[in-house]
Amino acid sequence: MGACSITAATLLAGCKPKPISFEGVDITGAAYGKDLPLPDAHGKQRSVQDFAGKVVVVFFGYTQCPDVCPTTLQELVEAKALLGEQGAQLQGVFVSLDPTRDTPEVLRAYAEAFDPEMVALTGSQEQISAVAKDFKVFFKKVEGKQPGSYTLDHSAGLYMYDPQGQLRVYQRYGQGPQALAKDAKALLDEAAGRKA
């Protein structure tokens, strides 16, 4: 009797999915960043659930960012290419922290210049501040030398959701497209394994 119980327990343990080892920081179960309740650059209200079935990668920045933002968005494009056919299941979402200058037209053109499929989100300063706070994203206006000019200091990591819409991974700035692609593939393969 005891031997049968041990065998059954061993078999059941073998059915559990193996935990994923991410290149980024595993934030599975995080109590923040639950959704993105903001309009896109076309005025359509968006939610993480709009992209069910895809790995969603969220980045906060602004279009006049001199280096961090374009570098990060380019890495996202490269990660998508590294995924081959699975690249169609990687959805980039760019959240503007600068609604004053990032009009819907500017934002749309900027995001689409990197990837025609990329979604850009905006909103009022209050809406954006609330979402940034929910994601623990820091940003601060820094006055420039010319009157009226400014830049934004801001957090520069990426947030990855699995195809079920759960926040899973935080990618630090500069980890590169290979790390991003590896973690996206792990999440896509995990989701495919659940369906099998």
Side-chain angles (χ1 to χ4, degrees):
M1 177 89 174
C4 290
S5 298
I6 291 168
T7 305
T10 306
L11 288 172
L12 287 173
C15 294
K16 286 183 183 172
K18 258 177 46 181
I20 299 173
S21 176
F22 294 114
E23 295 291 311
V25 180
D26 187 339
I27 54 173
T28 301
Y32 58 89
K34 296 288 185 193
D35 205 357
L36 289 161
L38 293 169
D40 66 19
H42 297 276
K44 180 182 176 187
Q45 191 68 24
R46 290 299 198 148
S47 164
V48 170
Q49 296 308 319
D50 292 346
F51 312 108
K54 294 184 176 185
V55 167
V56 179
V57 181
V58 179
F59 179 70
F60 291 80
Y62 65 114
T63 64
Q64 294 191 34
C65 179
D67 45 26
V68 171
C69 299
T71 300
T72 301
L73 295 178
Q74 184 56 41
E75 286 180 355
L76 184 53
V77 170
E78 289 170 24
K80 198 171 179 177
L82 287 170
L83 285 167
E85 286 184 11
Q86 283 184 309
Q89 292 173 276
L90 183 66
Q91 178 63 58
V93 176
F94 178 65
V95 182
S96 171
L97 296 169
D98 187 14
T100 304
R101 295 182 297 191
D102 291 350
T103 63
E105 294 75 26
V106 167
L107 200 51
R108 192 163 52 239
Y110 183 79
E112 290 175 2
F114 288 95
D115 177 359
E117 302 299 316
M118 191 175 294
V119 172
L121 302 181
T122 183
S124 67
Q125 193 65 67
E126 293 74 22
Q127 288 174 305
I128 291 165
S129 294
V131 170
K133 184 178 179 184
D134 184 46
F135 276 80
K136 302 181 184 300
V137 167
F138 162 85
F139 71 105
K140 184 177 92 172
K141 195 173 184 178
V142 179
E143 297 299 331
K145 292 178 182 171
Q146 304 301 319
S149 70
Y150 63 89
T151 58
L152 293 176
D153 283 349
H154 64 92
S155 307
L158 295 157
Y159 299 83
M160 297 182 76
Y161 290 81
D162 66 21
Q164 289 76 40
Q166 300 300 309
L167 184 58
R168 298 289 300 276
V169 184
Y170 177 76
Q171 293 272 339
R172 293 182 187 94
Y173 171 67
Q175 281 191 266
Q178 289 82 8
L180 194 55
K182 184 178 175 190
D183 288 353
K185 180 169 176 43
L187 291 172
L188 288 167
D189 290 349
E190 178 190 63
R194 283 182 184 160
K195 287 179 187 172

